[in-house]
Amino acid sequence: QKTSMDAEAQPQPQRLDAAPAAKRQKTSDDLWRRLGSPRSALAPLVDQSELAYRLLCRSYGAGICWTPMMDAKRFVADAAYRRAVFEDGAGAQADRPLVAQFAGDDPATILAAARFIEDRVDVVELNCGCPQKVAKRGHFGAFLLDEPEVIVAVVRALKRGLACAVGVKLRVLETAAATVALARRLEAAGADLLTVHGRTRAMKKCGFPCDFAAIAAVKRAVRVPVVANGGVERHADFARARELTGCDCVMSGELALAHPRAFFDGDAGPR
């Protein structure tokens, strides 16, 4: 018997404003409260933040988890890929709240991908943070930061067409003012959640400090929930990042991968 994740069940193209009003996401004002006001998050980690690891991190106190980054074009076209990256059991009660992250640049394609799983996740997020060469070749991730109109078009399409909330994960730009301007533009387009990595695309991650001040500037400038990403090397850094940024939640990737107990264990982290 075919399921909604099978290729034959692929949703037919619809107008971007076709979602009935009753299905449209409520305003962002109470989003974080409805998600349980999580204070720590497991980052999207390719080939890592899959269902089993998400459940492990949740058992240690992660309040919200991200799926690995998923290729929107492949997700629409390939049922085997869908089953591989969004497994049976993903989005079940034990795996919530959950953010599904997609990579891509075409609003209609990303919307079609998200519609397969919009009833099994709490937020669909556009990846605008990946700084790797594959993202440059594929025209996604942090390389979309040079084309904010593309990001805005995707956010608008998702907001109009989905029942769940819409998010964007981005990196800070060269100045805090530019980052704030982009964040405000995304909020105006309909983003319900922003996740901000405190390093520029050029910095990637190695050897550069996290710009908590720029993340804090974004938090002060928008009304939607903001998740801070970067600079978490030990358990105590969760509280430190919240204090420095005022953000609703702090995300961990590399630390969580090496020490999943770091979500609650003050002894977890590098020695």
Side-chain angles (χ1 to χ4, degrees):
Q1 183 178 359
K2 297 182 179 69
T3 71
S4 61
M5 293 286 281
D6 290 330
E8 293 81 359
Q10 179 176 327
Q12 296 300 308
Q14 300 180 36
R15 289 176 46 174
L16 297 183
D17 59 355
K23 285 186 64 182
R24 292 176 186 164
Q25 175 64 30
K26 297 179 181 178
T27 61
S28 301
D29 294 343
D30 65 342
L31 172 64
W32 215 241
R33 177 184 57 80
R34 288 187 285 109
L35 296 183
S37 301
R39 293 168 62 81
S40 60
L42 174 65
L45 300 166
V46 174
D47 295 330
Q48 303 292 346
S49 61
E50 295 166 331
L51 176 60
Y53 205 76
R54 294 197 300 269
L55 295 178
L56 175 66
C57 289
R58 291 181 192 279
S59 74
Y60 285 133
I64 184 170
C65 294
W66 266 243
T67 68
M69 179 187 71
M70 300 179 288
D71 182 319
K73 187 179 296 185
R74 288 187 65 191
F75 202 88
V76 170
D78 187 343
Y81 176 77
R82 286 198 297 276
R83 288 191 293 267
V85 297
F86 200 82
E87 315 99 305
D88 289 343
Q93 184 174 358
D95 190 31
R96 304 289 284 272
L98 180 63
V99 180
Q101 188 188 84
F102 285 102
D105 62 356
D106 179 66
T109 301
I110 298 170
L111 175 59
R115 280 180 169 162
F116 280 104
I117 58 173
E118 64 176 311
D119 60 343
R120 297 169 61 186
V121 302
D122 299 284
V123 183
V124 167
E125 180 182 83
L126 177 65
N127 181 317
C128 295
C130 180
Q132 305 301 326
K133 291 180 180 179
V134 65
K136 184 176 183 178
R137 291 194 302 269
H139 194 238
F140 66 84
F143 296 90
L144 295 182
L145 296 173
D146 295 331
E147 304 173 66
E149 67 280 2
V150 173
I151 307 173
V152 167
V154 172
V155 170
R156 286 176 175 163
L158 296 179
K159 187 66 175 179
R160 292 170 183 164
L162 296 178
C164 63
V166 176
V168 179
K169 188 175 190 292
L170 64 148
R171 285 176 172 262
V172 297
L173 303 179
E174 293 301 324
T175 67
T179 309
V180 166
L182 176 59
R184 284 175 168 162
R185 191 171 176 183
L186 297 179
E187 180 183 38
D192 301 294
L193 174 67
L194 297 175
T195 302
V196 184
H197 189 125
R199 299 182 181 92
T200 67
R201 183 178 68 203
M203 290 177 180
K204 295 186 178 179
K205 57 185 177 182
C206 298
F208 293 96
C210 180
D211 190 345
F212 290 117
I215 300 175
V218 170
K219 176 57 185 173
R220 291 192 300 268
V222 299
R223 295 184 59 187
V224 298
V226 177
V227 177
N229 182 209
V232 177
E233 298 180 355
R234 50 182 51 82
H235 173 79
D237 290 337
F238 284 105
R240 175 174 173 267
R242 282 192 295 269
E243 180 180 357
L244 290 174
T245 64
C247 283
D248 302 89
C249 185
V250 175
M251 174 179 282
S252 173
E254 292 186 0
L255 175 63
L257 190 59
H259 303 281
R261 292 180 58 185
F263 285 107
F264 82 97
D265 188 347
D267 292 329
R271 297 296 191 266

